[in-house]
Amino acid sequence: MATLEIHDLHVSVEAENGPREILKGVDLTIKQGETHAVMGPNGSGKSTLAYSLAGHPKYTVTGGTVTLDGEDVLEMSVDERARAGVFLAMQYPVEVPGVSVSNFLRTSATAVRGEAPKLRTWVKEVKSAMEQLQMDPAFAERNVNEGFSGGEKKRHEILQLELLKPKIAILDETDSGLDVDALRIVSEGVNRVRGTGEVGTLLITHYTRILRYIKPDFVHVFANGRIAESGGAELADVLENEGYDKYVKGGASA
Amino acid sequence: MAEAQNIPAGSTTAGSIAVAAESTVATRMSAPPSFDVADFPVPHGREEEWRFTPLARLRGLHDGTAVASGEGVKVEVEAPEGVTVETVGRDDERLGKAGTPVDRVAAQAYSSFEKASVVTVAKETVLTEPIRISVHGQGGVAFGHQVIELGAFAEAVVVLDHTGDAVLAANVDYVLGDGAKLTVVSVQDWDGKAVHVAQHNALVGRDASFKSVVVTFGGDVVRLHPRVRYAAPGGEAELFGLYFTDAGQHQEHRLLVDHNTPHCKSNVAYKGALQGQDAHAVWIGDVLIQAAAEGTDTYELNRNLVLTDGARVDSVPNLEIETGEIAGAGHASATGRFDDEQLFYLMARGIPETEARRLVVRGFFAELVQQIGLPDVQERLLAKIEAELEASV
Ligand SMILES: Nc1ncnc2c1ncn2[C@@H]1O[C@H](COP(=O)(O)OP(=O)(O)O)[C@@H](O)[C@H]1O
Ligand SMILES: [Mg+2]
């Protein structure tokens, strides 16, 4: 059973006046089949955690460990992490001019699966995944994220999640900027993947709204670069009512 | 004013649209066009037309010290039936009709060549197979002249292939009769040390269509001057170019479309990718719409994709309009970087770095490659682009 173990993770970014520590000792273990919601105010370091796990070069790990089934993730290059089964649905997906969605999807599926998917089954697979996400087939011929609306970008991220079938899925504010319909469609996509029981999900969100569609097994409150409190699904209801004030240093208590 | 900058400092594009009473394209040159090398001073490097070029690497082509050697280049012409191929002396009156040398190296070539090849396609002859001209460098210095002339309503495709190692200065004339259609693909696939400086002059007849595809991969220094003039109204010119500039290479394309006649069209699209330390690409796109050229329709574009640090692009589109009575005129130039965020996104989907670069470069060139319209050339190009990427990443 796949397990991602994050232990005492410290991460800095290069700021104007030298390195600035953003993650200040994160501990979290995610097992295949589990869903962990990480909730926290803006600027608490949620995206930093997500990007650090995926290996973005902007973030420097200054301490701690991350392992996937005992393998040192921090030693791996970005593409190696993806091939090892770590997937990050980005908060702000990047435009890649000149590269079509269909070409991109096939290239990444080939890389992650270790061999080119058989053309006939692949075409069907993509087509049905796109249908379920209510994406127009013409989408496949557009350039990656170029001119996509916010909702289209997020659907495209979840399309990749469905096709790449990772062991660990990190979803960074996949819900933000979505209207109710799009939120439902995207959540159903996540739930299809969760339904296989083969993925551990790290659902990063600012709002509780998405948790009506995706039921977490664990909820963690993220504040000031670390996990401030952990609990079950009921913790989300507390946050819904009370907000993050009590976790934010100097914030007024609710 | 043009500006030269280092990636990643920012855009390396400079350009202008001038509405002028008199052309500055001509006055920017340090001497008027001439067939005689003595009419040009030896350039020192600060002249407008030489300021981007590393003169020290021209192996003496610019200062008269390069002397033709026995084993310069080997030229072979493979022509289908209906084509006349001749080797002629300097006094053949068909030489030099399409244009006059505009700089010292072109004039040096014209003053120094001994034999020229003249390839003629008789009027109304429509070829189904390309004419293949292979220019293979044998390691020496050579001065060349070639003429490709199509009679009225003739149609032909010419593939001009440069390979091997040489120091070559040359002029190539394309003369299109009325209603003729000529496509020329000039491939610069030189070995790493080659130096190639050439002026390609097209003279486009009434209602004729000229398509030029310039593909530059190899060489130490390649500096080409594709130029187009119109002999009569109704002519069309499409100038496509593709270059892949690697570490240390200097590849310079200086275009001029001279709209000297009414109701002609031109469309220029050059795209280049650069990678490696001191890869340097220069693109100068001069389009001149003379006062007489009413109804002109023209567009020019240059795009560059910088794949690594240390590469440099100078891109200078320059559109000069001397009449208000035109159908359309525009230009665009942009230099972009394959940035780290794009790389991260692709790699975060399991795609290895080299593969990610390949995807982006292929995508960058794809549209232009499709416009070439010659499947075998397109395939060779794509294969070559792959090889370039594989060789150096
Ligand atoms: N490159 C950077 N330079 C300086 N500060 C940064 C940089 N990137 C992120 N930060 C800071 O790190 C903190 C956490 O950011 P982020 O991880 O995006 O938070 P969240 O996703 O929880 O909103 C913020 O205060 C943000 O301003
Ligand atoms: Mg964030």
Side-chain angles (χ1 to χ4, degrees), chain A residues 70-85:
Chain A
E71 297 282 330
D72 185 352
V73 171
L74 300 177
E75 274 295 302
M76 300 179 195
S77 62
V78 175
D79 53 317
E80 284 169 348
R81 296 180 197 205
R83 293 198 297 273

Side-chain angles (χ1 to χ4, degrees), chain A residues 51 56 78-79 82-83 87-88 90 94-99 103-104 107-108 111-112 144-145 157 160, chain B residues 303 338-353 355-356 359-360 362-364 366:
Chain A
Y51 278 127
H56 194 292
V78 175
D79 53 317
R83 293 198 297 273
F87 178 88
L88 167 61
M90 291 183 211
V94 183
E95 293 186 7
V96 190
V99 178
N103 192 5
F104 166 66
T107 307
S108 70
V112 167
V144 170
N145 292 319
E157 293 294 287
Q160 295 166 54
Chain B
R303 286 228 310 147
F338 177 49
D339 70 34
D340 294 345
E341 293 300 326
Q342 291 171 22
L343 186 60
F344 173 72
Y345 189 77
L346 296 173
M347 288 178 74
R349 299 306 180 241
I351 302 171
E353 183 170 346
E355 178 83 20
L359 257 187
V360 169
R362 248 198 242 148
F364 175 74

Side-chain angles (χ1 to χ4, degrees), chain B residues 170-380:
Chain B
N171 291 286
V172 185
D173 290 335
Y174 307 114
V175 181
L176 286 75
D178 294 352
K181 285 193 167 65
L182 173 63
T183 297
V184 179
V185 182
S186 179
V187 182
Q188 289 63 245
D189 196 1
W190 295 108
D191 291 348
K193 284 191 306 193
V195 173
H196 181 199
V197 182
Q199 183 172 327
H200 291 192
N201 308 298
L203 182 61
V204 181
R206 175 182 291 269
D207 301 323
S209 324
F210 175 62
K211 186 193 241 184
S212 152
V213 180
V214 168
V215 180
T216 303
F217 287 108
D220 177 41
V221 178
V222 173
R223 178 180 143 119
L224 298 181
H225 258 114
R227 298 167 72 87
V228 174
R229 271 191 311 141
Y230 301 86
E236 268 187 50
E238 286 181 296
L239 307 179
F240 296 134
L242 238 128
Y243 44 92
F244 201 117
T245 317
D246 283 319
Q249 286 185 314
H250 178 92
Q251 297 177 342
E252 180 166 350
H253 299 92
R254 310 179 67 92
L255 290 91
L256 173 80
V257 182
D258 184 357
H259 280 280
N260 52 334
T261 308
H263 303 290
C264 291
K265 284 187 188 168
S266 63
N267 179 28
V268 177
Y270 269 61
K271 284 189 169 187
L274 294 90
Q275 63 182 7
Q277 192 60 40
D278 297 323
H280 189 191
V282 177
W283 183 85
I284 311 290
D286 286 336
V287 174
L288 172 59
I289 305 175
Q290 296 197 24
E294 286 171 18
T296 293
D297 194 352
T298 176
Y299 191 77
E300 57 166 346
L301 168 141
N302 175 230
R303 286 228 310 147
N304 296 286
L305 178 64
V306 176
L307 295 167
T308 67
D309 285 339
R312 170 187 163 132
V313 177
D314 293 289
S315 174
V316 189
N318 182 42
L319 177 56
E320 278 180 24
I321 307 173
E322 294 172 8
T323 171
E325 306 294 312
I326 55 169
H331 70 176
S333 161
T335 296
R337 233 184 108 79
F338 177 49
D339 70 34
D340 294 345
E341 293 300 326
Q342 291 171 22
L343 186 60
F344 173 72
Y345 189 77
L346 296 173
M347 288 178 74
R349 299 306 180 241
I351 302 171
E353 183 170 346
T354 43
E355 178 83 20
R357 286 185 193 282
R358 192 179 306 158
L359 257 187
V360 169
V361 172
R362 248 198 242 148
F364 175 74
F365 283 123
E367 199 188 330
L368 184 60
V369 170
Q370 280 156 19
Q371 282 176 290
I372 293 172
L374 301 169
D376 59 328
V377 172
Q378 290 173 204
E379 247 158 65
R380 180 172 161 201

